[in-house]
Amino acid sequence: MNAVTAQERTATAERRSTGDPQAGVPFVDVPTAVGPRDPRELSRPFFERLAVLEEGTREHQYVRNTLIEMNLSLVRYAASRFRSRGDSMEDVVQVGTIGLIKAIDRFELAREVEFTSFAVPYIVGEIKRFFRDTSWAVHVPRRLQEARVELARATDELRTRSGRMPTTRELAQLMSLSEEEVIEARKAANGYTSASLDAALTSGGDPEGESAPADFIGAEDPALELVEDFHSPAPLIAAMDAHDRRILHLRFVEERTQAEIGRELGISQMHVSRLISRMVARLRLGLLGSEVA
């Protein structure tokens, strides 16, 4: 694309006189089709115009959007560096575009630097932040994600100096953190990657000695065996009449004594004892009968 011609300047003046939002900037037919090198030349008049426009106006929106579309090739270039990460390139480009928009909103021509040089760190930084937030195996707060990176750098620096693994105290002093925060960052680092509990582990290369992490983690909870036992009598209890169910509830749920149950129901303690014994025997017989069946 060539520099702005006299014909284009005339067309620009005409658009300005008619209130066209394209007034004051070169005409770009298809901004997204602008080649990678052309935005360097075209972006300058757009930034000059953007600096004097009131935010929120139709012309400001047009100039800003055209700058974004013209520089999308810069986003695609930056995103191509992350092609091997396996994520959808469309998602990476969308994230990079957020960085481009931030760069456009913060760029000033007075800085006397190329917009490309200014924008690339914003674009790449946004893409890296995206991978940092989505690559963790479990959700970890942002502050701990960042602490993990700092911890890795501090560990490498101290190990290079001393030739050994640094202590927690040494890391805390270098990172200006407490020892508790360093320990927390170490724990958070374990959440970056994960492995299946069924992944095979071999001992000494012997396939016969293969095992899995699940074989060494956790223990059987004996209470789980009681779950079925708790539910098995439910149908038998439901088949009882309301009077018998109330007695069982008072005795085994509210844990009342036989004497207390007798006083509430107006019967003797001995009669309560016989009723409970008879109901328990009936439940036992019903449960044993279902097991035999």
Side-chain angles (χ1 to χ4, degrees), residues 157-194:
E157 181 179 339
L158 291 174
R159 186 166 51 189
T160 301
R161 288 183 196 173
S162 63
R164 58 173 175 78
M165 283 297 294
T167 65
T168 300
R169 177 175 296 180
E170 291 170 339
L171 289 167
Q173 290 175 348
L174 180 61
M175 298 172 66
S176 299
L177 298 174
S178 67
E179 293 186 29
E180 291 75 14
E181 289 172 319
V182 172
I183 294 171
E184 191 178 17
R186 279 177 169 166
K187 291 179 180 178
N190 295 331
Y192 190 71
T193 56
S194 62

Side-chain angles (χ1 to χ4, degrees), residues 196-201 209-217:
S196 171
L197 292 177
D198 296 321
L201 301 174
E210 188 175 286
S211 58
D215 298 333
F216 309 101
I217 299 175

Side-chain angles (χ1 to χ4, degrees), residues 14-252:
E14 292 176 354
R15 291 195 299 271
R16 182 179 297 176
S17 65
T18 59
D20 193 315
Q22 299 177 12
V25 291
F27 174 72
V28 181
D29 188 17
V30 185
T32 54
V34 174
R37 295 183 180 179
D38 294 323
R40 294 189 178 186
E41 181 179 354
L42 283 172
S43 292
R44 186 174 185 85
F46 277 87
F47 276 116
E48 289 174 347
R49 188 65 182 151
L50 191 67
V52 299
L53 291 173
E54 182 180 353
E55 188 174 347
T57 61
R58 191 160 64 102
E59 189 175 359
H60 181 278
Q61 185 178 6
Y62 166 76
V63 173
R64 182 172 179 267
N65 288 345
T66 305
L67 274 170
I68 295 170
E69 293 175 358
M70 283 195 306
N71 286 279
L72 284 176
S73 58
L74 192 60
V75 177
R76 288 190 288 269
Y77 166 75
S80 65
R81 296 165 53 182
F82 300 89
R83 192 179 301 276
S84 61
R85 297 295 294 263
D87 289 73
S88 166
M89 285 306 298
E90 182 180 351
D91 292 340
V92 178
V93 169
Q94 287 182 357
V95 171
T97 303
I98 296 174
L100 172 65
I101 294 171
K102 289 181 178 179
I104 289 173
D105 290 341
R106 298 171 186 176
F107 181 69
E108 298 175 2
L109 287 172
R111 295 176 183 269
E112 297 184 354
V113 296
E114 288 285 347
F115 175 68
T116 300
S117 303
F118 180 81
V120 167
Y122 278 92
I123 297 170
V124 173
E126 204 67 35
I127 293 174
K128 286 183 176 179
R129 188 175 296 108
F130 165 74
F131 283 120
R132 185 170 64 238
D133 290 347
T134 59
S135 298
W136 288 73
V138 296
H139 175 71
V140 173
R142 174 70 60 81
R143 67 178 181 84
L144 291 179
Q145 294 181 22
E146 294 172 351
R148 167 189 170 272
V149 177
E150 293 300 322
L151 177 64
R153 291 174 182 168
T155 301
D156 289 341
E157 181 179 339
L158 291 174
R159 186 166 51 189
T160 301
R161 288 183 196 173
S162 63
R164 58 173 175 78
M165 283 297 294
T167 65
T168 300
R169 177 175 296 180
E170 291 170 339
L171 289 167
Q173 290 175 348
L174 180 61
M175 298 172 66
S176 299
L177 298 174
S178 67
E179 293 186 29
E180 291 75 14
E181 289 172 319
V182 172
I183 294 171
E184 191 178 17
R186 279 177 169 166
K187 291 179 180 178
N190 295 331
Y192 190 71
T193 56
S194 62
S196 171
L197 292 177
D198 296 321
L201 301 174
T202 56
S203 177
D206 180 13
E208 296 297 328
E210 188 175 286
S211 58
D215 298 333
F216 309 101
I217 299 175
E220 292 186 6
D221 186 350
L224 290 176
E225 299 178 1
L226 300 177
V227 173
E228 186 176 355
D229 294 340
F230 286 146
H231 287 82
S232 297
L236 300 174
I237 295 174
M240 292 180 175
D241 58 43
H243 183 265
D244 288 350
R245 287 200 304 272
R246 178 160 176 72
I247 293 175
L248 288 178
H249 180 84
L250 292 172
R251 181 67 186 94
F252 297 106

Side-chain angles (χ1 to χ4, degrees), residues 4-16:
V4 180
T5 64
Q7 183 178 2
E8 288 174 328
R9 285 195 294 271
T10 302
T12 297
E14 292 176 354
R15 291 195 299 271
R16 182 179 297 176

